Amino acid sequence: MPSVAIIGTRGYPSYYGGFETAVRKLAPYLVEQGWDVTVYSRPAGTRADDPGRDPRVRVIETRGLEKKSLSTLTYGLTAALHAAKEKPDVALVMNVANGFWLPILKRAGIPTLVNVDGIEWDRAKWGRFAKWVFHQGGKWTAKYGTRMVYDSHEIARRWKDEFGLDGEYIPYGGDPVDQDLPVEPGLTHRGYALVVARFVPENSIPEFLEAAPHIAEHTEVVIVGSSGYGGELDDHARALAATNPRIHWLGHVSDDRRLFSLWQHCAVYFHGHTVGGTNPALVQAMALGAPVVARDTPYNREVTGATGAFTDGAIGDIVATVSRLAASRDVEDASSALKQRARESFSWEAVNARYLESLRYVSSERGVDLADA
């Protein structure tokens, strides 16, 4: 039985972000394809009694430091050291921050498929030192990784230009829902503008919070997300919800069914992400038929194509674009077009199959024939 170790996420099953969503979909799929799958996890990242957990997926918890700037590095190190002893046929490594530990896996004879994520050193949430660390991690990834995975063509272009590396294009998928989910209590179908994002500057959260009271003059506003560490943006969202009954801050929502309902019934989903590649939240929103207003970036245009509406990110333009789509008679047409695009271009079935093919290819670096797996 071929074996794969998955390193660099919060674990299985976890609902934290895009990497974790991908692992929740991929790990059971690989098991079904005859693979022995191990996912390295953080103690606080998963629940053993999670009903969505596939017991055939092996979960190994390692130690690390629960610090914003050190958690990925420290948990990645302990996972790589453990995997080096176990010697799986191949390792799927998430995040270039773990590029520093790829020599450990290479020395153990373990080929690696590395999902580089976005261009982390472009993210405004990181300080100068953290950006330098991520960029160095990218250099180590380029030098010691066996094969790269890029979740968008634009990310692939950036890596080709800077590091001279080709790789595999594998985006994220979305889960379609073929039934009408219950509307969130207190809201109405197509009666609210929605934002779902981690509270960091590059997700346009500061601008959206400033725009929210103006949008709320015409349609209700629902804000989903937090920084995870408290701070100014959380305080701002809390104050808006406390003083304006048409603005609702729900914090972090880990219940997929509830989040899917919010996307399915919104009048507009504002997607303010400005860095990164194919964003999992955007793909999922499209799969559920959420009419989209996105920040005008190459990444977001690549995902939505001609089916989305775009804003330059200025507060006034966010207000105008979101309000215009929410009031438009074409909102259902936009919903149908986005849902169709997600179905054709971003299905989990196709995503998982691409990962399987890539893992088979990379494993050949170790001389292991996995053609029948």
Side-chain angles (χ1 to χ4, degrees), residues 18-19 93-96 114-120 123 134 149-152 155-156 159 172 276-278 280:
F19 278 160
V93 180
M94 306 294 208
N95 198 321
V96 295
V114 186
N115 185 320
V116 304
D117 198 20
I119 308 299
E120 286 291 326
R123 294 186 186 272
F134 276 116
V149 168
Y150 309 118
D151 65 33
S152 81
I155 294 293
W159 271 71
Y172 290 95
T278 298

Side-chain angles (χ1 to χ4, degrees), residues 92-110:
L92 173 60
V93 180
M94 306 294 208
N95 198 321
V96 295
N98 291 306
F100 295 108
W101 318 132
L102 293 178
I104 297 172
L105 300 173
K106 189 168 186 175
R107 193 176 302 117
I110 303 168

Side-chain angles (χ1 to χ4, degrees), residues 7-8 40 62 74-86 88 93 98 100-105 108 110:
I7 296 170
Y40 285 92
T62 62
T74 55
Y75 282 107
L77 172 60
T78 55
L81 289 170
H82 190 281
K85 294 179 181 178
E86 295 231 325
V93 180
N98 291 306
F100 295 108
W101 318 132
L102 293 178
I104 297 172
L105 300 173
I110 303 168

Side-chain angles (χ1 to χ4, degrees), residues 191 193 208 210-222 240 244-248 319 322-323:
F208 186 84
E210 292 293 335
H214 304 287
I215 297 170
E217 294 175 7
H218 308 286
T219 186
E220 296 197 57
V221 175
V222 177
L240 287 172
N244 190 326
R246 292 174 61 80
I247 299 177
H248 313 268
V319 173
V322 169
S323 300

